[in-house]
Amino acid sequence: MKPIIKNKVAIFYPTGFLDGDNASSIITGADEQEIIFKKPEAVFVSLKKIIFFNKKGISYLAERLSFLKDECMAFVGFCDYDIKIYNSILSTFVNNITFSLIEKEEMLFLFCGSKKLEDKSIIIYSNDQSQKNQIAMTLIERKLKVQIAKNEDEFEKDKKNFDFVVQNSYLGNIEKAVAVFIKNNIIIYSLKGFIDSNIFNTFDMKYHKNSIKVGFRIFCFDMSEVSSINIHGANFLSKLSIDGAEFGVSIVVCGLNSNKTTSRITQDLEDAGILMYDNLKSFFEDEEVVNQTNIEAQKMAKKTKMSKKIISILPDVIESTIRTIEILSNKKASKESVKIQNLKSNMGDEIVAAIVGFYDDVDALFLLIMDKDDVQDVCKILLPKEFSVEELFDAFSEFANVISGKILQKFKSKHMNAEVTMPRIFDKISEVKKLESTKHGVQTNFKIGNKEMILFLTK
Amino acid sequence: MLSKDDIDKYLDTIPPVPNTIRLTLFHLNNNDLVQAANIAKEDKVFVAYLSEIVNKPIFGFMNDVKNVNQIFGILGLGKARQIVASYYIQLITPRDWEVFDFSNNKFQELQANLIIEWNEVLKELKIDNKNLQQSIALIPASLIVCEMMFRDIKETILLLRESKHMSFDEILYKMSGYRLFDIVLKIAKKWEFDDDIITFIKYFLQNKVVKIEKKEIVFLRLLINCEMSKPYIVNSGLNDFFDFPMNFTEEEIALFLKIRNKI
């Protein structure tokens, strides 16, 4: 059964009855290989659609999850259950719980993944004091606003005032290698423990490189939870900084003090162009530096040129895009014009744009732009009846995701080995035009029904 | 693009039920096994289908049975009616499955399992109703409808499922305004299935909480959920095809497990 991987979290959704006969078809060897390859931050099994399970079935899945935890240092466990299932799992695995239990899927993103939830309020209550503290510590580390209820009465009285209620959840040991957050278009990697040569194995370099491709320019390593860093760990950061320089990438390190490393290593990091801050707060307060770094990034980015390869894949990209748009929007899509030029748009500044990077055999950036007011009409199938602006952006992101997935299949059918990044969303055309990549590329203008859409393909 | 027009065109291509099969069912409904077997023999394709399905392990025959009179005699009226109704579905089964990693052999295995298990459930619930017995035959038709509707837009459907985790039914509804059960019911009407069967299927396939007195619907949902979690279905990608509310009581689940253990 293929897991759904979203925001760096892989979730399996088995249905019906879970026993020893069918458990092995839920997490198969092929699924494990895919997960090890993609290195998600967490792997969970949703029990939402499970009617009945026995010890054999759940034990098999727990064993496979533990394997994945060891292989990719992922946060693993079960989610989406009621109190009966929660108690039943706890009593099945007394004193030997190597996985976590998170009551609802949406709460999973409080503990892991790149989804931004920092403006949400959370109340925690548990009879188990050590669990209560562990949950609170984990959430506070993720910069979330947490309140711990003192007793059950207080919890029952206050819980309605919170966005999330964490009650029947259990944390096994969370030993994530590198947690990733995104704040103000800055990627924050949270490191823990001792940083040595092992970071070369646990850091998801593919994710990092692709984030650069889709336009992220500042990468911040939060070291507040790091106990110490040695010369090999420092070399890793220096290498990232030097390698990223040609793309205008800045590496920032926060929370590394004299107790954690030597002055020599700190000096080496600064010499490699790494910006050092006492903590994350002081970094984000330094708006001038953040903005300057952004501008600098644009200037430093290499001017890219169209390659023959990009021109050669264009027909496939256009064909796949038109076909997918027609299926998703249920409207006729037609190509209006194709030109090699810099990005030109007659739309106002209020747009929604998604940028996706293809890599490996095909090295290209794919940009989809629509007027903000037109998006809901075209992405109807992906939107709930009532939606927020955030959900509209999410829907357009999914829209771009499905189209890029379709293009990927086309490449694969022609034996081209390609992978794709997650889409990055912009909401202003002026911001999109700042990207160096938009200075030269193939622009295709589409009509979807009577709405306009721009596809910009560049290197 | 998948529109109502495309679906209506597909429905037009569904062949009518052959007269021999219609007559066979007529005699079975009149409790005349011998006459039904005599008529059924005239349709060689049906005889081949009958012989293949009853020799599936779940029917538990020790030796290969091929004679129609013998098969009908062993099966009895209830199961014979179900198999004839299942044969209707065979008329729209694709030669090859493209959207799902499935085959006609596995489809027959599914039909056979459902027939045997549904009979056990009805026996335990002490329900003796020939329309209810036959209704099980129509449910797998929704799998075929899904396969046929989505095969031209297969990659997009699978990508949509992956990125949004939408059910097949939801995708179909958002694209065409039809739900799967709308299509299955249209097929059932075309084949002139009894109104009671159509009403039952309608209740069953609706994604709504069913009132407690409809015990048979609750148990059919349990049965389908159980079948959908078997490895041969999970590996095919058909596993979370039906999106029912999960409102089963502990007693219902316990009784269902008891029935299942009898098979």
Side-chain angles (χ1 to χ4, degrees), chain A residues 185 352-355 393-394 396-398 400 423-427 431:
Chain A
N185 274 338
V352 186
I355 181 164
F393 290 168
D394 275 353
F396 194 66
S397 168
E398 297 291 356
R424 187 191 159 182
I425 294 288
F426 294 84
D427 59 359
E431 281 177 28

Side-chain angles (χ1 to χ4, degrees), chain A residues 232-300:
Chain A
H232 300 294
N235 280 346
F236 171 79
L237 293 174
S238 302
K239 194 174 177 312
L240 271 194
S241 177
I242 293 161
D243 288 353
E246 67 167 314
F247 304 106
V249 166
S250 296
I251 302 290
V252 176
V253 168
C254 297
L256 194 64
N257 55 34
S258 57
N259 295 332
K260 297 176 181 175
T261 194
T262 62
S263 56
R264 173 69 194 272
I265 287 182
T266 311
Q267 186 63 48
D268 285 351
L269 290 173
E270 282 175 343
D271 287 350
I274 293 172
L275 302 168
M276 310 289 282
Y277 286 84
D278 288 345
N279 49 46
L280 267 184
K281 195 167 168 274
S282 60
F283 169 57
F284 278 104
E285 276 170 0
D286 199 348
E287 280 177 24
E288 201 181 335
V289 174
V290 170
N291 292 339
Q292 266 186 356
T293 319
N294 253 328
I295 295 160
E296 195 67 14
Q298 302 308 329
K299 277 186 197 163
M300 286 169 74

